[in-house]
Amino acid sequence: MTLMQLESHISIPEIHRKILQNYTGAYALGVTRLNAESNEGAFHLHVTGETLAEFPNQVEIDGEDVPVLVNRNWTPPTTQAHD
């Protein structure tokens, strides 16, 4: 699936549920290229290193298997205090 096709799916809650399954912690989900030479995309999931949750390696969307790349070394942004 191309990057543009994936970008049109990223805001669909069902896609997030398919990828996150039972995970309830902080996360960020985006799209990325599988490699520099192609326009083929993948979902890029960022979760905290504290989680032991398992995530799928791929999800099916519109009959196509889309890879899911997981980064477990993510730290959620924090609010900075203003003076």
Side-chain angles (χ1 to χ4, degrees), residues 20 23 26-30 44-48 69-72 74:
L20 296 172
Y23 178 71
Y27 74 97
L29 182 62
H44 197 175
L45 175 64
H46 300 272
V47 294
T48 63
L69 308 175
V70 181
N71 174 3
R72 292 180 180 270
W74 180 70

Side-chain angles (χ1 to χ4, degrees), residues 8-54:
S8 69
H9 286 85
I10 196 71
S11 63
I12 300 172
E14 182 59 32
I15 300 297
H16 289 246
R17 284 191 285 274
K18 277 184 174 183
I19 294 171
L20 296 172
Q21 299 177 8
N22 296 323
Y23 178 71
T24 58
Y27 74 97
L29 182 62
V31 297
T32 189
R33 289 183 193 269
L34 273 181
N35 60 56
E37 294 82 34
S38 79
N39 195 32
E40 188 176 352
F43 287 113
H44 197 175
L45 175 64
H46 300 272
V47 294
T48 63
E50 301 166 359
T51 184
L52 298 176
E54 293 295 322

Side-chain angles (χ1 to χ4, degrees), residues 52-65:
L52 298 176
E54 293 295 322
F55 301 99
N57 293 327
Q58 61 188 23
V59 291
E60 185 180 324
I61 299 175
D62 296 339
E64 291 188 49
D65 290 331

